[in-house]
Amino acid sequence: MDHEKQREKVAEATWRVIQKMGLDQASVRNIADEAGLSVGSMRHYFSTHSELLFYAMKMVSDRVGKRIANIDFSGDLLTDIPLLVDEILPTDEEKRLEMEVWFAFVVKSLSDKDLARYRLEVDDGLRSIFIEIMDGLAAKNLAAPDLDAELEIERFYALIDGLAIHAVLRPEKMPADLMRRTVYRHLQSLCRPSE
Amino acid sequence: MDHEKQREKVAEATWRVIQKMGLDQASVRNIADEAGLSVGSMRHYFSTHSELLFYAMKMVSDRVGKRIANIDFSGDLLTDIPLLVDEILPTDEEKRLEMEVWFAFVVKSLSDKDLARYRLEVDDGLRSIFIEIMDGLAAKNLAAPDLDAELEIERFYALIDGLAIHAVLRPEKMPADLMRRTVYRHLQSLCRPSE
DNA sequence: TTGTTTTTAATACAATTGTTCTAAAAAAGG
DNA sequence: CCTTTTTTAGAACAATTGTATTAAAAACAA
């Protein structure tokens, strides 16, 4: 029996409980029910409740990281950036579940030191992506002149997080297509007029 | 004894508990302790726990709404929009507490029907502000030509929510000054070149 | 088969939850 | 000063929480 696979199944059950009932209802009993296990049995895979929650949180960013690592980049920034952003934004049901769970953990991280430390790590990693994007645009002479790079990094990053939140909170107002068009429009506002 | 004032004091204690310990630790006992009351005594102002939480959530948006209503607008859009946005964004400690509490309730609203209904109301009200902003820019002929109005509404709204979240999650990376400059830069990206 | 380990199940325990109830203290009105 | 109402305090309730314990069941090795 694959120990690690079982841990992932339990963590996925945790995600579903969080989506259906909220993080505060993600008790060991509710998760065990959702996973089809007994409480004592689940204990063999996670020895404490917080260890399970931490694992479930990390699995979110792991999944996103793996998707990004699997992108087949073209080399052209203006096509690659949308590819990249598309794997971060909740552009389908699976990613929306992830994002919803992530937000729950983010809020919990505001009063949980361990979760906060990990959230900072992920945030730094994400921010470095936007730093590289702006660096890339400048290096290839695509960026509009007189851009304040540090400001544009935060503006782009904030826009993406805002779109992600709105897609979770008002999915009917923020379909995948609108997210993509908004990203495209924003890119355009960062780049010098072409030709 | 002012009944309503006492309710606000209890709700403010609720905010502090949420900030210090998280929404899931905002139990009647913890809130009563923070407010300096007994459990039975608090019961005279809020008959149920959820009524108290709902009140504490509504108080956040009420405070924001009151601040906006008190703005002394100049009539010039390009000075008024920053004034307006400044009352929404967490540009000082007081507003950061509000925003932190608000996010906690927003996440809870994902698994609580009553909170979800109210959150939708607030969201619609907020979105209508950005609709008016874009309408105003177009009416005064300030907006750049060829703007997709509906897209720009969502882009601006998403940017503001993204800035707000970042100010809560990484206050040292998103000081008030950077938020204001980012808003200014975004406005510039919406407007036609001046003169 | 027999023996060993892994996995599952179920119960028990103390702590915390929202809520209810009872009564004392304080305030107000006559 | 007495009566009535409002406010406060604290104990008690059943339900739920994370965790520990115990033992049965299953899987596996020899």
Side-chain angles (χ1 to χ4, degrees):
Chain A
M1 178 136 310
D2 191 334
H3 200 79
E4 196 57 31
K5 269 273 181 290
Q6 196 76 350
R7 281 166 70 93
E8 289 190 23
K9 288 201 75 167
V10 173
E12 278 169 9
T14 305
W15 287 7
R16 294 193 298 274
V17 171
I18 291 173
Q19 184 176 47
K20 282 189 275 194
M21 310 193 266
L23 187 47
D24 49 303
Q25 291 295 317
S27 64
V28 289
R29 285 166 182 81
N30 286 339
I31 295 172
D33 281 355
E34 176 70 35
L37 295 172
S38 71
V39 176
S41 167
M42 212 171 62
R43 206 61 188 241
H44 252 257
Y45 302 103
F46 297 99
S47 57
T48 68
H49 185 220
S50 41
E51 183 196 345
L52 164 54
L53 292 187
F54 202 177
Y55 185 93
M57 179 182 185
K58 281 203 271 196
M59 203 169 73
V60 177
S61 45
D62 281 351
R63 293 272 169 98
V64 178
K66 280 177 191 165
R67 277 202 303 271
I68 292 179
N70 283 338
I71 297 177
D72 187 26
F73 287 117
S74 73
D76 174 33
L77 264 184
L78 293 184
T79 51
D80 286 345
I81 292 172
L83 283 179
L84 182 61
V85 172
D86 214 89
E87 296 303 335
I88 298 171
L89 288 172
T91 48
D92 59 34
E93 263 319 310
E94 183 193 351
K95 283 184 269 188
R96 185 144 71 219
L97 170 58
E98 286 176 8
M99 194 58 80
E100 204 172 322
V101 172
W102 181 253
F103 282 141
F105 280 115
V106 162
V107 167
K108 188 173 179 62
S109 80
L110 288 168
S111 54
D112 182 310
K113 252 192 157 187
D114 292 326
L115 299 192
R117 179 167 36 241
Y118 182 69
R119 192 245 304 157
L120 285 189
E121 275 182 40
V122 175
D123 179 68
D124 285 339
L126 214 44
R127 177 170 283 101
S128 73
I129 289 181
F130 290 95
I131 294 174
E132 284 178 34
I133 287 178
M134 291 308 301
D135 282 354
L137 288 178
K140 304 225 167 179
N141 221 24
L142 291 166
D146 306 327
L147 281 194
D148 180 336
E150 294 184 17
L151 185 148
E152 295 297 350
I153 289 166
E154 297 300 331
R155 187 165 75 108
F156 200 0
Y157 186 13
L159 176 71
I160 297 300
D161 267 350
L163 291 177
I165 286 210
H166 287 189
V168 168
L169 296 179
R170 294 299 290 267
E172 82 283 1
K173 297 244 178 205
M174 187 52 72
D177 175 62
L178 181 54
M179 282 192 272
R180 296 194 179 105
R181 286 192 295 131
T182 305
V183 170
Y184 181 80
R185 158 66 179 123
H186 193 79
L187 264 179
Q188 171 194 320
S189 92
L190 292 174
C191 293
R192 66 168 73 242
S194 48
E195 107 244 48
Chain B
M1 179 135 310
D2 191 332
H3 200 79
E4 196 58 29
K5 270 273 181 293
Q6 194 77 352
R7 281 168 69 93
E8 288 190 24
K9 287 202 73 167
V10 173
E12 278 169 10
T14 306
W15 286 7
R16 293 192 299 273
V17 171
I18 291 173
Q19 184 178 46
K20 281 188 276 193
M21 310 192 264
L23 187 47
D24 49 304
Q25 291 295 318
S27 64
V28 289
R29 285 167 182 82
N30 287 340
I31 295 171
D33 281 354
E34 176 70 35
L37 294 173
S38 73
V39 176
S41 167
M42 213 170 60
R43 206 53 188 231
H44 252 256
Y45 302 102
F46 296 98
S47 57
T48 68
H49 186 220
S50 40
E51 183 196 344
L52 164 55
L53 292 187
F54 203 176
Y55 185 93
M57 179 183 185
K58 281 202 271 198
M59 205 169 74
V60 177
S61 45
D62 281 352
R63 292 271 169 99
V64 179
K66 279 177 190 164
R67 277 202 304 270
I68 292 178
N70 283 338
I71 297 177
D72 187 25
F73 287 117
S74 73
D76 174 33
L77 265 185
L78 293 184
T79 51
D80 287 345
I81 292 173
L83 282 179
L84 182 61
V85 171
D86 214 89
E87 296 303 334
I88 297 172
L89 288 172
T91 46
D92 59 35
E93 265 319 310
E94 182 192 352
K95 284 184 268 188
R96 185 143 71 218
L97 169 59
E98 286 177 8
M99 193 58 80
E100 203 172 324
V101 171
W102 180 254
F103 282 141
F105 280 117
V106 162
V107 166
K108 189 174 178 61
S109 80
L110 289 169
S111 54
D112 183 311
K113 253 192 155 186
D114 292 326
L115 299 192
R117 181 169 31 243
Y118 183 69
R119 191 245 304 157
L120 286 189
E121 275 182 40
V122 174
D123 180 68
D124 285 340
L126 214 43
R127 178 170 282 102
S128 73
I129 289 181
F130 291 94
I131 294 174
E132 285 177 34
I133 287 177
M134 291 308 301
D135 283 354
L137 288 176
K140 305 225 166 177
N141 220 23
L142 290 166
D146 307 325
L147 281 193
D148 180 336
E150 294 184 17
L151 185 148
E152 296 297 350
I153 289 166
E154 297 300 330
R155 186 165 76 109
F156 200 179
Y157 186 14
L159 175 71
I160 296 301
D161 268 348
L163 291 177
I165 286 208
H166 287 191
V168 167
L169 296 179
R170 295 298 290 266
E172 81 283 1
K173 297 243 178 205
M174 188 51 72
D177 174 63
L178 181 53
M179 283 192 271
R180 296 195 178 104
R181 287 192 295 131
T182 305
V183 170
Y184 181 80
R185 158 67 179 124
H186 192 79
L187 264 178
Q188 171 194 319
S189 92
L190 292 174
C191 293
R192 67 168 72 240
S194 48
E195 105 235 60

